[in-house]
mmCIF file of all heavy atoms in Angstrom:
data_model
loop_
_atom_site.group_PDB
_atom_site.id
_atom_site.type_symbol
_atom_site.label_atom_id
_atom_site.label_comp_id
_atom_site.label_asym_id
_atom_site.label_seq_id
_atom_site.Cartn_x
_atom_site.Cartn_y
_atom_site.Cartn_z
ATOM 1 N N LYS A 1 0.807 -1.164 0.022
ATOM 2 C CA LYS A 1 0.033 -0.008 0.100
ATOM 3 C C LYS A 1 0.806 1.256 -0.034
ATOM 4 O O LYS A 1 0.486 2.336 -0.711
ATOM 5 C CB LYS A 1 -0.912 -0.015 1.235
ATOM 6 C CG LYS A 1 -2.040 -1.155 1.049
ATOM 7 C CD LYS A 1 -2.861 -1.157 2.296
ATOM 8 C CE LYS A 1 -3.864 -2.278 2.190
ATOM 9 N NZ LYS A 1 -4.786 -2.403 3.439
ATOM 10 N N GLU A 2 2.006 1.235 0.612
ATOM 11 C CA GLU A 2 2.931 2.313 0.664
ATOM 12 C C GLU A 2 3.474 2.583 -0.746
ATOM 13 O O GLU A 2 3.655 3.719 -1.214
ATOM 14 C CB GLU A 2 4.049 2.058 1.604
ATOM 15 C CG GLU A 2 5.167 3.121 1.594
ATOM 16 C CD GLU A 2 4.744 4.551 1.878
ATOM 17 O OE1 GLU A 2 3.578 4.814 2.473
ATOM 18 O OE2 GLU A 2 5.382 5.557 1.524
ATOM 19 N N LEU A 3 3.883 1.502 -1.450
ATOM 20 C CA LEU A 3 4.408 1.569 -2.856
ATOM 21 C C LEU A 3 3.436 2.190 -3.666
ATOM 22 O O LEU A 3 3.616 3.105 -4.568
ATOM 23 C CB LEU A 3 4.770 0.253 -3.308
ATOM 24 C CG LEU A 3 6.018 -0.390 -2.754
ATOM 25 C CD1 LEU A 3 6.275 -1.756 -3.152
ATOM 26 C CD2 LEU A 3 7.155 0.520 -2.886
ATOM 27 N N LEU A 4 2.029 1.752 -3.556
ATOM 28 C CA LEU A 4 0.964 2.261 -4.321
ATOM 29 C C LEU A 4 0.816 3.824 -4.049
ATOM 30 O O LEU A 4 0.457 4.596 -4.920
ATOM 31 C CB LEU A 4 -0.379 1.525 -4.118
ATOM 32 C CG LEU A 4 -0.578 0.259 -4.876
ATOM 33 C CD1 LEU A 4 -2.039 -0.289 -4.789
ATOM 34 C CD2 LEU A 4 -0.144 0.317 -6.274
ATOM 35 N N HIS A 5 0.901 4.186 -2.724
ATOM 36 C CA HIS A 5 0.749 5.539 -2.429
ATOM 37 C C HIS A 5 1.827 6.429 -3.133
ATOM 38 O O HIS A 5 1.468 7.467 -3.624
ATOM 39 C CB HIS A 5 0.987 5.553 -0.828
ATOM 40 C CG HIS A 5 1.221 7.129 -0.366
ATOM 41 N ND1 HIS A 5 0.267 8.049 -0.408
ATOM 42 C CD2 HIS A 5 2.338 7.691 0.059
ATOM 43 C CE1 HIS A 5 0.751 9.244 -0.013
ATOM 44 N NE2 HIS A 5 2.041 9.055 0.335
ATOM 45 N N GLN A 6 3.013 5.813 -3.274
ATOM 46 C CA GLN A 6 4.045 6.745 -3.940
ATOM 47 C C GLN A 6 3.779 6.755 -5.392
ATOM 48 O O GLN A 6 4.043 7.867 -6.008
ATOM 49 C CB GLN A 6 5.422 5.987 -3.633
ATOM 50 C CG GLN A 6 5.877 5.995 -2.227
ATOM 51 C CD GLN A 6 6.095 7.301 -1.565
ATOM 52 O OE1 GLN A 6 6.313 8.357 -2.284
ATOM 53 N NE2 GLN A 6 5.725 7.493 -0.356
ATOM 54 N N VAL A 7 3.166 5.765 -5.973
ATOM 55 C CA VAL A 7 2.950 5.755 -7.418
ATOM 56 C C VAL A 7 1.731 6.500 -7.806
ATOM 57 O O VAL A 7 1.655 7.398 -8.692
ATOM 58 C CB VAL A 7 2.742 4.231 -7.906
ATOM 59 C CG1 VAL A 7 2.204 4.222 -9.388
ATOM 60 C CG2 VAL A 7 4.073 3.530 -7.849
ATOM 61 N N GLU A 8 0.580 6.376 -6.928
ATOM 62 C CA GLU A 8 -0.689 6.979 -7.440
ATOM 63 C C GLU A 8 -0.852 8.361 -6.855
ATOM 64 O O GLU A 8 -1.661 9.093 -7.448
ATOM 65 C CB GLU A 8 -1.836 6.109 -6.977
ATOM 66 C CG GLU A 8 -1.708 4.672 -7.654
ATOM 67 C CD GLU A 8 -2.973 3.779 -7.221
ATOM 68 O OE1 GLU A 8 -3.367 3.980 -6.040
ATOM 69 O OE2 GLU A 8 -3.236 2.797 -8.015
ATOM 70 N N GLU A 9 -0.292 8.546 -5.673
ATOM 71 C CA GLU A 9 -0.524 9.916 -5.009
ATOM 72 C C GLU A 9 0.701 10.880 -5.167
ATOM 73 O O GLU A 9 0.561 12.114 -5.433
ATOM 74 C CB GLU A 9 -0.856 9.735 -3.614
ATOM 75 C CG GLU A 9 -2.279 9.029 -3.391
ATOM 76 C CD GLU A 9 -2.589 8.750 -1.913
ATOM 77 O OE1 GLU A 9 -2.469 9.702 -1.219
ATOM 78 O OE2 GLU A 9 -3.007 7.610 -1.632
ATOM 79 N N ASN A 10 1.985 10.305 -4.990
ATOM 80 C CA ASN A 10 3.012 11.061 -5.174
ATOM 81 C C ASN A 10 3.713 11.080 -6.691
ATOM 82 O O ASN A 10 4.397 11.864 -6.989
ATOM 83 C CB ASN A 10 4.193 10.680 -4.278
ATOM 84 C CG ASN A 10 3.916 11.193 -2.918
ATOM 85 O OD1 ASN A 10 3.112 12.114 -2.534
ATOM 86 N ND2 ASN A 10 4.710 10.582 -1.806
ATOM 87 N N HIS A 11 3.152 10.260 -7.447
ATOM 88 C CA HIS A 11 3.457 10.118 -8.919
ATOM 89 C C HIS A 11 4.995 10.054 -9.032
ATOM 90 O O HIS A 11 5.571 10.692 -9.884
ATOM 91 C CB HIS A 11 2.923 11.410 -9.645
ATOM 92 C CG HIS A 11 1.500 11.517 -9.529
ATOM 93 N ND1 HIS A 11 0.533 10.712 -10.127
ATOM 94 C CD2 HIS A 11 0.718 12.377 -8.770
ATOM 95 C CE1 HIS A 11 -0.631 11.146 -9.820
ATOM 96 N NE2 HIS A 11 -0.659 12.068 -8.961
ATOM 97 N N VAL A 12 5.642 9.206 -8.264
ATOM 98 C CA VAL A 12 7.117 9.121 -8.372
ATOM 99 C C VAL A 12 7.572 8.680 -9.664
ATOM 100 O O VAL A 12 6.819 7.939 -10.359
ATOM 101 C CB VAL A 12 7.606 8.103 -7.177
ATOM 102 C CG1 VAL A 12 7.359 8.743 -5.788
ATOM 103 C CG2 VAL A 12 7.151 6.742 -7.381
ATOM 104 N N GLY A 13 8.824 9.150 -9.998
ATOM 105 C CA GLY A 13 9.272 8.867 -11.370
ATOM 106 C C GLY A 13 9.814 7.291 -11.493
ATOM 107 O O GLY A 13 10.019 6.897 -12.709
ATOM 108 N N GLY A 14 10.059 6.838 -10.346
ATOM 109 C CA GLY A 14 10.644 5.426 -10.377
ATOM 110 C C GLY A 14 11.046 4.874 -9.090
ATOM 111 O O GLY A 14 10.778 5.527 -7.994
ATOM 112 N N PHE A 15 11.722 3.756 -8.914
ATOM 113 C CA PHE A 15 12.046 3.305 -7.641
ATOM 114 C C PHE A 15 13.579 2.754 -7.825
ATOM 115 O O PHE A 15 14.073 2.348 -8.875
ATOM 116 C CB PHE A 15 11.392 2.148 -7.310
ATOM 117 C CG PHE A 15 9.932 2.435 -6.818
ATOM 118 C CD1 PHE A 15 8.843 2.450 -7.619
ATOM 119 C CD2 PHE A 15 9.614 2.806 -5.543
ATOM 120 C CE1 PHE A 15 7.563 2.804 -7.404
ATOM 121 C CE2 PHE A 15 8.363 3.034 -5.056
ATOM 122 C CZ PHE A 15 7.286 3.160 -5.932
ATOM 123 N N ILE A 16 14.240 2.614 -6.765
ATOM 124 C CA ILE A 16 15.588 2.087 -6.656
ATOM 125 C C ILE A 16 15.424 0.590 -5.979
ATOM 126 O O ILE A 16 15.012 0.492 -4.916
ATOM 127 C CB ILE A 16 16.735 2.765 -5.853
ATOM 128 C CG1 ILE A 16 17.988 2.030 -5.836
ATOM 129 C CG2 ILE A 16 16.227 3.337 -4.602
ATOM 130 C CD1 ILE A 16 19.134 2.795 -5.234
ATOM 131 N N LEU A 17 15.786 -0.355 -6.647
ATOM 132 C CA LEU A 17 15.812 -1.711 -6.109
ATOM 133 C C LEU A 17 16.980 -2.004 -5.242
ATOM 134 O O LEU A 17 18.129 -1.708 -5.455
ATOM 135 C CB LEU A 17 15.872 -2.697 -7.272
ATOM 136 C CG LEU A 17 15.811 -4.170 -6.992
ATOM 137 C CD1 LEU A 17 14.539 -4.680 -6.364
ATOM 138 C CD2 LEU A 17 16.194 -5.094 -8.126
ATOM 139 N N GLY A 18 16.642 -2.668 -3.993
ATOM 140 C CA GLY A 18 17.749 -2.808 -3.139
ATOM 141 C C GLY A 18 17.692 -4.121 -2.401
ATOM 142 O O GLY A 18 16.900 -4.970 -2.609
ATOM 143 N N THR A 19 18.368 -4.134 -1.260
ATOM 144 C CA THR A 19 18.518 -5.209 -0.400
ATOM 145 C C THR A 19 17.785 -4.847 1.012
ATOM 146 O O THR A 19 17.412 -3.643 1.156
ATOM 147 C CB THR A 19 19.924 -5.788 -0.105
ATOM 148 O OG1 THR A 19 20.629 -4.528 0.418
ATOM 149 C CG2 THR A 19 20.601 -6.190 -1.376
ATOM 150 N N GLN A 20 17.741 -5.722 1.963
ATOM 151 C CA GLN A 20 17.245 -5.394 3.140
ATOM 152 C C GLN A 20 17.941 -6.258 4.315
ATOM 153 O O GLN A 20 18.403 -7.324 3.885
ATOM 154 C CB GLN A 20 15.750 -5.459 3.230
ATOM 155 C CG GLN A 20 15.175 -6.890 3.320
ATOM 156 C CD GLN A 20 13.655 -6.951 3.451
ATOM 157 O OE1 GLN A 20 13.012 -5.902 3.385
ATOM 158 N NE2 GLN A 20 13.110 -8.177 3.675
ATOM 159 N N ARG A 21 17.878 -5.905 5.401
ATOM 160 C CA ARG A 21 18.460 -6.696 6.636
ATOM 161 C C ARG A 21 17.353 -7.679 7.083
ATOM 162 O O ARG A 21 16.173 -7.326 7.329
ATOM 163 C CB ARG A 21 18.902 -5.808 7.669
ATOM 164 C CG ARG A 21 20.101 -4.782 7.290
ATOM 165 C CD ARG A 21 20.604 -4.189 8.639
ATOM 166 N NE ARG A 21 21.797 -3.277 8.248
ATOM 167 C CZ ARG A 21 22.979 -3.748 8.045
ATOM 168 N NH1 ARG A 21 23.286 -4.906 8.169
ATOM 169 N NH2 ARG A 21 23.906 -2.903 7.631
ATOM 170 N N GLY A 22 17.768 -8.872 7.194
ATOM 171 C CA GLY A 22 16.867 -10.015 7.759
ATOM 172 C C GLY A 22 17.527 -10.654 8.879
ATOM 173 O O GLY A 22 18.608 -10.264 9.286
ATOM 174 N N PRO A 23 16.839 -11.590 9.449
ATOM 175 C CA PRO A 23 17.349 -12.334 10.625
ATOM 176 C C PRO A 23 18.773 -13.038 10.343
ATOM 177 O O PRO A 23 19.610 -13.273 11.252
ATOM 178 C CB PRO A 23 16.288 -13.298 10.912
ATOM 179 C CG PRO A 23 15.551 -13.511 9.761
ATOM 180 C CD PRO A 23 15.576 -12.209 8.981
ATOM 181 N N LEU A 24 19.074 -13.230 9.101
ATOM 182 C CA LEU A 24 20.292 -14.010 8.755
ATOM 183 C C LEU A 24 21.309 -13.017 8.075
ATOM 184 O O LEU A 24 22.344 -13.432 7.563
ATOM 185 C CB LEU A 24 20.047 -15.210 7.792
ATOM 186 C CG LEU A 24 19.131 -16.271 8.304
ATOM 187 C CD1 LEU A 24 18.958 -17.397 7.315
ATOM 188 C CD2 LEU A 24 19.710 -16.827 9.613
ATOM 189 N N GLY A 25 20.952 -11.773 8.180
ATOM 190 C CA GLY A 25 21.892 -10.684 7.654
ATOM 191 C C GLY A 25 21.263 -10.122 6.415
ATOM 192 O O GLY A 25 20.062 -9.913 6.249
ATOM 193 N N ILE A 26 22.111 -9.647 5.394
ATOM 194 C CA ILE A 26 21.560 -8.928 4.180
ATOM 195 C C ILE A 26 20.839 -9.871 3.290
ATOM 196 O O ILE A 26 21.397 -11.000 2.963
ATOM 197 C CB ILE A 26 22.789 -8.240 3.476
ATOM 198 C CG1 ILE A 26 23.538 -7.262 4.332
ATOM 199 C CG2 ILE A 26 22.315 -7.607 2.223
ATOM 200 C CD1 ILE A 26 22.611 -6.050 4.802
ATOM 201 N N GLU A 27 19.648 -9.486 2.916
ATOM 202 C CA GLU A 27 18.919 -10.317 2.017
ATOM 203 C C GLU A 27 18.788 -9.559 0.687
ATOM 204 O O GLU A 27 18.486 -8.312 0.717
ATOM 205 C CB GLU A 27 17.505 -10.531 2.543
ATOM 206 C CG GLU A 27 17.423 -11.461 3.856
ATOM 207 C CD GLU A 27 15.982 -11.526 4.518
ATOM 208 O OE1 GLU A 27 15.106 -10.892 3.911
ATOM 209 O OE2 GLU A 27 15.860 -12.233 5.433
ATOM 210 N N ARG A 28 18.940 -10.176 -0.442
ATOM 211 C CA ARG A 28 18.777 -9.659 -1.747
ATOM 212 C C ARG A 28 17.395 -9.899 -2.288
ATOM 213 O O ARG A 28 16.709 -10.906 -1.933
ATOM 214 C CB ARG A 28 19.891 -10.214 -2.657
ATOM 215 C CG ARG A 28 21.289 -9.835 -2.316
ATOM 216 C CD ARG A 28 22.413 -10.449 -3.093
ATOM 217 N NE ARG A 28 22.456 -11.993 -2.874
ATOM 218 C CZ ARG A 28 23.309 -12.678 -3.417
ATOM 219 N NH1 ARG A 28 24.178 -12.173 -4.358
ATOM 220 N NH2 ARG A 28 23.318 -14.004 -3.256
ATOM 221 N N SER A 29 17.103 -8.964 -3.235
ATOM 222 C CA SER A 29 15.852 -9.211 -3.955
ATOM 223 C C SER A 29 15.802 -10.527 -4.840
ATOM 224 O O SER A 29 16.923 -11.092 -5.009
ATOM 225 C CB SER A 29 15.572 -7.985 -4.854
ATOM 226 O OG SER A 29 15.387 -6.817 -4.108
ATOM 227 N N GLN A 30 14.728 -11.005 -5.257
ATOM 228 C CA GLN A 30 14.597 -12.169 -6.106
ATOM 229 C C GLN A 30 14.028 -11.766 -7.399
ATOM 230 O O GLN A 30 13.129 -10.857 -7.572
ATOM 231 C CB GLN A 30 13.671 -13.153 -5.383
ATOM 232 C CG GLN A 30 14.278 -13.607 -4.047
ATOM 233 C CD GLN A 30 13.377 -14.473 -3.276
ATOM 234 O OE1 GLN A 30 12.028 -14.502 -3.582
ATOM 235 N NE2 GLN A 30 13.850 -15.127 -2.228
ATOM 236 N N VAL A 31 14.512 -12.439 -8.424
ATOM 237 C CA VAL A 31 14.338 -11.901 -9.839
ATOM 238 C C VAL A 31 12.747 -11.966 -10.226
ATOM 239 O O VAL A 31 12.244 -10.993 -10.784
ATOM 240 C CB VAL A 31 15.130 -12.565 -10.853
ATOM 241 C CG1 VAL A 31 14.788 -14.074 -10.961
ATOM 242 C CG2 VAL A 31 15.093 -11.827 -12.197
ATOM 243 N N TYR A 32 12.163 -13.031 -10.014
ATOM 244 C CA TYR A 32 10.644 -13.133 -10.367
ATOM 245 C C TYR A 32 9.749 -12.182 -9.647
ATOM 246 O O TYR A 32 8.992 -11.452 -10.272
ATOM 247 C CB TYR A 32 10.164 -14.648 -10.321
ATOM 248 C CG TYR A 32 10.497 -15.410 -11.578
ATOM 249 C CD1 TYR A 32 11.571 -16.327 -11.686
ATOM 250 C CD2 TYR A 32 9.756 -15.185 -12.801
ATOM 251 C CE1 TYR A 32 11.769 -16.984 -12.870
ATOM 252 C CE2 TYR A 32 9.995 -15.910 -13.902
ATOM 253 C CZ TYR A 32 11.041 -16.871 -13.991
ATOM 254 O OH TYR A 32 11.403 -17.510 -15.106
ATOM 255 N N PRO A 33 9.846 -12.175 -8.285
ATOM 256 C CA PRO A 33 9.095 -11.266 -7.597
ATOM 257 C C PRO A 33 9.435 -9.733 -7.980
ATOM 258 O O PRO A 33 8.630 -8.789 -8.095
ATOM 259 C CB PRO A 33 9.495 -11.438 -6.117
ATOM 260 C CG PRO A 33 9.894 -12.856 -6.131
ATOM 261 C CD PRO A 33 10.651 -13.105 -7.344
ATOM 262 N N THR A 34 10.687 -9.466 -8.282
ATOM 263 C CA THR A 34 11.121 -8.154 -8.759
ATOM 264 C C THR A 34 10.425 -7.748 -10.033
ATOM 265 O O THR A 34 9.794 -6.745 -10.197
ATOM 266 C CB THR A 34 12.570 -8.045 -8.970
ATOM 267 O OG1 THR A 34 13.223 -8.215 -7.776
ATOM 268 C CG2 THR A 34 13.063 -6.742 -9.596
ATOM 269 N N ALA A 35 10.387 -8.692 -11.095
ATOM 270 C CA ALA A 35 9.779 -8.423 -12.308
ATOM 271 C C ALA A 35 8.262 -8.335 -12.139
ATOM 272 O O ALA A 35 7.640 -7.416 -12.714
ATOM 273 C CB ALA A 35 10.113 -9.557 -13.266
ATOM 274 N N ALA A 36 7.639 -9.278 -11.302
ATOM 275 C CA ALA A 36 6.274 -9.187 -11.168
ATOM 276 C C ALA A 36 5.787 -7.921 -10.416
ATOM 277 O O ALA A 36 4.834 -7.309 -10.762
ATOM 278 C CB ALA A 36 5.792 -10.402 -10.349
ATOM 279 N N LEU A 37 6.403 -7.494 -9.404
ATOM 280 C CA LEU A 37 6.081 -6.230 -8.587
ATOM 281 C C LEU A 37 6.343 -5.086 -9.438
ATOM 282 O O LEU A 37 5.545 -4.184 -9.488
ATOM 283 C CB LEU A 37 6.995 -6.079 -7.358
ATOM 284 C CG LEU A 37 6.697 -4.950 -6.460
ATOM 285 C CD1 LEU A 37 5.377 -4.856 -5.970
ATOM 286 C CD2 LEU A 37 7.632 -5.065 -5.216
ATOM 287 N N THR A 38 7.446 -5.030 -10.323
ATOM 288 C CA THR A 38 7.622 -4.004 -11.195
ATOM 289 C C THR A 38 6.427 -3.701 -12.234
ATOM 290 O O THR A 38 5.996 -2.645 -12.465
ATOM 291 C CB THR A 38 8.977 -4.181 -11.962
ATOM 292 O OG1 THR A 38 10.024 -4.188 -11.014
ATOM 293 C CG2 THR A 38 9.194 -3.018 -13.020
ATOM 294 N N ASN A 39 6.046 -4.905 -12.820
ATOM 295 C CA ASN A 39 4.888 -4.855 -13.677
ATOM 296 C C ASN A 39 3.713 -4.362 -13.016
ATOM 297 O O ASN A 39 2.884 -3.486 -13.521
ATOM 298 C CB ASN A 39 4.688 -6.243 -14.279
ATOM 299 C CG ASN A 39 5.488 -6.473 -15.405
ATOM 300 O OD1 ASN A 39 6.234 -5.662 -15.866
ATOM 301 N ND2 ASN A 39 5.460 -7.769 -15.934
ATOM 302 N N GLU A 40 3.488 -4.838 -11.678
ATOM 303 C CA GLU A 40 2.249 -4.272 -11.003
ATOM 304 C C GLU A 40 2.278 -2.770 -10.810
ATOM 305 O O GLU A 40 1.214 -2.125 -11.038
ATOM 306 C CB GLU A 40 2.177 -5.064 -9.689
ATOM 307 C CG GLU A 40 0.967 -4.849 -8.806
ATOM 308 C CD GLU A 40 -0.293 -5.381 -9.455
ATOM 309 O OE1 GLU A 40 -0.272 -6.248 -10.438
ATOM 310 O OE2 GLU A 40 -1.390 -4.778 -9.175
ATOM 311 N N LEU A 41 3.511 -2.298 -10.342
ATOM 312 C CA LEU A 41 3.527 -0.940 -10.104
ATOM 313 C C LEU A 41 3.452 -0.042 -11.497
ATOM 314 O O LEU A 41 2.893 1.058 -11.517
ATOM 315 C CB LEU A 41 4.903 -0.584 -9.439
ATOM 316 C CG LEU A 41 5.014 -1.135 -8.063
ATOM 317 C CD1 LEU A 41 6.487 -0.969 -7.494
ATOM 318 C CD2 LEU A 41 3.981 -0.607 -7.031
ATOM 319 N N GLN A 42 4.039 -0.645 -12.549
ATOM 320 C CA GLN A 42 3.879 0.071 -13.866
ATOM 321 C C GLN A 42 2.568 0.240 -14.331
ATOM 322 O O GLN A 42 2.125 1.267 -14.915
ATOM 323 C CB GLN A 42 4.701 -0.708 -14.905
ATOM 324 C CG GLN A 42 6.271 -0.751 -14.774
ATOM 325 C CD GLN A 42 6.884 0.597 -15.251
ATOM 326 O OE1 GLN A 42 6.288 1.669 -15.370
ATOM 327 N NE2 GLN A 42 8.143 0.472 -15.542
ATOM 328 N N LYS A 43 1.642 -0.764 -14.047
ATOM 329 C CA LYS A 43 0.238 -0.682 -14.431
ATOM 330 C C LYS A 43 -0.494 0.367 -13.675
ATOM 331 O O LYS A 43 -1.439 0.873 -14.112
ATOM 332 C CB LYS A 43 -0.447 -2.085 -14.245
ATOM 333 C CG LYS A 43 0.177 -3.170 -15.071
ATOM 334 C CD LYS A 43 -0.442 -4.600 -14.735
ATOM 335 C CE LYS A 43 0.109 -5.691 -15.620
ATOM 336 N NZ LYS A 43 -0.335 -7.037 -15.198
ATOM 337 N N HIS A 44 -0.053 0.716 -12.500
ATOM 338 C CA HIS A 44 -0.684 1.783 -11.682
ATOM 339 C C HIS A 44 -0.061 3.150 -11.969
ATOM 340 O O HIS A 44 -0.768 4.104 -11.500
ATOM 341 C CB HIS A 44 -0.658 1.379 -10.140
ATOM 342 C CG HIS A 44 -1.464 0.348 -9.737
ATOM 343 N ND1 HIS A 44 -2.795 0.518 -9.314
ATOM 344 C CD2 HIS A 44 -1.199 -1.046 -9.681
ATOM 345 C CE1 HIS A 44 -3.246 -0.660 -8.947
ATOM 346 N NE2 HIS A 44 -2.416 -1.586 -9.117
ATOM 347 N N ALA A 45 0.988 3.251 -12.679
ATOM 348 C CA ALA A 45 1.621 4.449 -12.910
ATOM 349 C C ALA A 45 1.157 5.298 -14.140
ATOM 350 O O ALA A 45 0.969 4.684 -15.199
ATOM 351 C CB ALA A 45 3.084 4.251 -13.038
ATOM 352 N N LYS A 46 0.727 6.455 -13.908
ATOM 353 C CA LYS A 46 0.271 7.390 -14.989
ATOM 354 C C LYS A 46 1.498 7.584 -15.977
ATOM 355 O O LYS A 46 1.137 7.549 -17.221
ATOM 356 C CB LYS A 46 -0.198 8.734 -14.422
ATOM 357 C CG LYS A 46 -0.784 9.578 -15.508
ATOM 358 C CD LYS A 46 -1.383 10.894 -14.827
ATOM 359 C CE LYS A 46 -1.948 11.837 -15.898
ATOM 360 N NZ LYS A 46 -2.516 13.063 -15.226
ATOM 361 N N THR A 47 2.538 7.766 -15.615
ATOM 362 C CA THR A 47 3.778 7.891 -16.470
ATOM 363 C C THR A 47 4.660 6.683 -16.180
ATOM 364 O O THR A 47 4.850 6.333 -15.058
ATOM 365 C CB THR A 47 4.514 9.284 -16.066
ATOM 366 O OG1 THR A 47 3.697 10.302 -16.250
ATOM 367 C CG2 THR A 47 5.720 9.401 -17.073
#
C-alpha cells in the first residue's frame, strides 16, 4: 500500500531496487518477484 501511495498519489518517477536486513543478515531481492512487482507498479503509474 505504501508503494501504491508513492505511485498513485506522489506520482514518483521510479524506484531503486535494493536489499534489506533480515534475521540472517543482508537479504537480496529475487528476480521473479522483482519483475512481477515492477509490472504491477507500472500498471498503476500514470507515467
Side-chain angles (χ1 to χ4, degrees):
K1 291 176 181 178
E2 173 60 21
L3 291 175
L4 278 192
H5 164 67
Q6 296 303 329
V7 170
E8 297 181 335
E9 297 179 46
N10 282 345
H11 305 283
V12 295
F15 290 92
I16 173 173
L17 176 72
T19 57
Q20 70 176 14
R21 293 189 182 278
L24 300 179
I26 299 298
E27 298 177 351
R28 291 176 292 183
S29 294
Q30 298 170 343
V31 67
Y32 273 100
T34 293
L37 182 57
T38 298
N39 276 357
E40 185 68 21
L41 295 175
Q42 289 282 21
K43 292 173 183 177
H44 285 271
K46 183 175 180 180
T47 304

